[in-house]
Amino acid sequence: MTTAVAAPVAGPLAGPVAAPVAAPVPAASRTAAPVVTGIGVAAPNGLGTEAWWSAVLRGRSGIRPVSRFDASGYPAKLAGEVPGFVDAEHVSSRLMPQTDRVTRLSLAAAKEALDDAGADPAQLPEHAAGVVTANSFGGFEFGQQELQALWSKGGQHVSAYQSFAWFYAVNSGQISIKHGLRGASGVIVSEQAGGLDAMAHARRQIRKGAELVVTGGIDSALCPWGWAAYLAGGGLTDSEDPARAYRPFAEDASGHVAGEGGALLVLEGAEEARRRGARVHGVLAGHAATFDADGTSRLGAAAELALADAGVHPDEIDVVFADAAGERGADRAEAEAIAALFGPYGVPVTAPKSMTGRLAAGGAALDVAAALLTLRDQLIPPTTGTELPAEEYRLDLVTGAPAPATGLPLRTALVLARGRGGFNSAVVVRAAEA
């Protein structure tokens, strides 16, 4: 079960504050599928949406040796680190002492998404806009620093900001405060599935009457404490070759690479977006979530339910963005689920996260951004590192170079995600109407 935690929406982030119900909006806006009007990205192969997307289409990876700390003594030495992010350029001097890197990345992505949407929350009714993010670690690096201060200097040297800077909900809270998003807000904790689950929760808020919700996921835990958690969880590759370390669906896949970043989107009611003349990136048409039980993967069930929720048939899906664990057993389970739903080699499949590593709660949110831009540009991004998928998987995996639309235009995409512990999530997005 995903976990929704109420996020602070005002004050010094000392605790959760209940938000009043948003102002009523027309019934059409509550029943129509919400639309995406803004995208903000912080990714290991590009800071900012267009820089990242350009790198993806060129097949440029952001996986490289860890530089945020000395990883020479660890079995895993590669990561996806967001390049060129100077914290002070994105966060005020007042906020710097009270925020972790993950919150600074989130604030940057939220600003880009709102700017892209051309949305001014101050022009909306007071409680009509909210924020629902996903997060897996909270402020891990901030917490590590304060633990070091506790044990080396004593409790009086622990920052008062430790009371909230480590918390999963802090990104939602700080975005809420920064942009005056005082409507219903929260955080979702379901690891790699979290970005999709957060969007589903945002969709529910819009159906209840919210006009705008900032949603998606950002994660960052590239510090010794976070690295210890990654290693304990298993699945990290010990390869030291950035070009061949993370090879989803490959015969010799050896695990994944961890990374930081993700994407935040602006989700709006369709009628509200139309009324203000917003440019629409696409439609969040369907979602479903399932949970594994007794060792049985239910990812395929999540995909089927998401298609049913969107009212689309499998033959209407033009591309699948795979979860792509990079581990033979998990890859096999996902490939079987895709083949069962679409038939062997029945739909193009891609995993652009092969260029970023797995970004925990940020990974699937970034895939949704990629899906929307795929439908915009009519180009399916490639899976790098993997030249050919293992024959047993029976996948039409896009590799090498972007695949252009052939025949009918690309109109509908399916995004799949699995979180540690058995979380499965699937989202269907459609291209914007002309």
Side-chain angles (χ1 to χ4, degrees):
M1 179 173 67
T2 57
T3 304
V5 182
V9 293
L13 291 179
V17 178
V21 177
V25 295
S29 186
R30 294 196 295 270
T31 57
V35 297
V36 178
T37 57
I39 302 174
V41 167
N45 55 343
L47 178 60
T49 301
E50 294 303 332
W52 156 75
W53 184 238
S54 175
V56 168
L57 293 181
R58 296 199 312 272
R60 185 169 65 81
S61 175
I63 294 172
R64 56 185 67 87
V66 174
S67 67
R68 299 281 309 285
F69 63 95
D70 181 6
S72 59
Y74 296 91
K77 298 178 176 62
L78 301 177
E81 299 177 343
V82 176
F85 187 83
V86 179
D87 299 43
E89 293 178 359
H90 300 275
V91 177
S92 69
S93 58
R94 181 183 64 83
L95 279 180
M96 286 288 285
Q98 57 179 287
T99 52
D100 181 85
R101 180 176 173 90
V102 70
T103 302
R104 298 166 189 169
L105 291 170
S106 298
L107 286 166
K111 182 182 185 304
E112 184 191 10
L114 286 165
D115 288 348
D116 182 45
D120 182 3
Q123 300 302 312
L124 298 176
E126 186 176 5
H127 302 295
V131 52
V132 180
T133 65
N135 191 257
S136 303
F137 295 95
F140 243 49
E141 189 171 19
F142 194 104
Q144 174 187 299
Q145 292 168 354
E146 299 311 310
L147 284 173
Q148 289 174 321
L150 172 66
W151 291 110
S152 64
K153 301 177 182 178
Q156 68 273 25
H157 293 278
V158 175
S159 169
Y161 298 127
Q162 169 65 8
S163 62
F164 59 79
W166 68 272
F167 190 41
Y168 303 103
V170 69
N171 299 335
S172 288
Q174 293 285 16
I175 293 169
S176 166
I177 293 169
K178 174 70 175 177
H179 297 285
L181 307 176
R182 297 183 176 88
S185 299
V187 63
I188 302 295
V189 181
S190 51
E191 213 258 340
Q192 187 84 14
L196 303 189
D197 292 339
M199 293 178 195
H201 190 62
R203 182 177 70 157
R204 285 190 288 271
Q205 295 305 327
I206 287 176
R207 286 175 169 174
K208 291 177 181 178
E211 294 189 25
L212 178 152
V213 182
V214 175
T215 188
I218 301 279
D219 251 315
S220 179
L222 302 185
C223 61
W225 191 21
W227 214 238
Y230 276 122
L231 290 168
L236 289 184
T237 179
D238 59 3
S239 171
E240 296 185 29
D241 180 356
R244 300 183 61 81
Y246 179 26
R247 308 181 67 227
F249 302 111
E251 185 77 38
D252 57 347
S254 62
H256 69 274
V257 173
E260 64 176 356
L264 294 178
L265 312 178
V266 173
L267 206 63
E268 295 189 60
E271 179 62 23
E272 284 78 11
R274 185 201 63 78
R275 189 166 60 231
R276 72 179 186 85
R279 185 264 320 271
V280 173
H281 290 289
V283 179
L284 182 59
H287 169 267
T290 59
F291 192 76
D292 294 343
D294 302 321
T296 301
S297 171
R298 300 195 66 236
L299 179 65
E304 289 186 53
L305 291 168
L307 265 61
D309 185 46
V312 301
H313 190 270
D315 63 12
E316 296 177 78
I317 296 296
D318 299 306
V319 58
V320 173
F321 286 77
D323 175 70
E327 186 274 322
R328 288 301 302 272
D331 283 352
R332 182 181 300 110
E334 183 172 25
E336 289 174 352
I338 293 171
L341 185 56
F342 300 101
Y345 310 101
V347 63
V349 176
T350 188
K353 61 171 62 72
S354 56
M355 298 175 236
T356 65
R358 292 178 68 81
L359 310 184
L366 193 62
D367 277 346
V368 170
L372 292 167
L373 297 179
T374 291
L375 302 180
R376 181 193 74 179
D377 293 347
Q378 297 293 290
L379 284 172
I380 301 173
T383 306
T384 60
T386 303
E387 293 81 17
L388 289 172
E391 188 174 347
E392 66 178 289
Y393 295 152
R394 302 183 297 170
L395 287 181
D396 179 15
L397 190 68
V398 177
T399 63
T406 56
L408 296 175
L410 305 172
R411 296 289 302 163
T412 311
L414 173 68
V415 180
L416 302 176
R418 292 172 294 189
R420 287 185 183 277
F423 299 103
N424 304 298
S425 197
V427 153
V428 175
V429 295
R430 289 201 312 267
E433 298 298 329

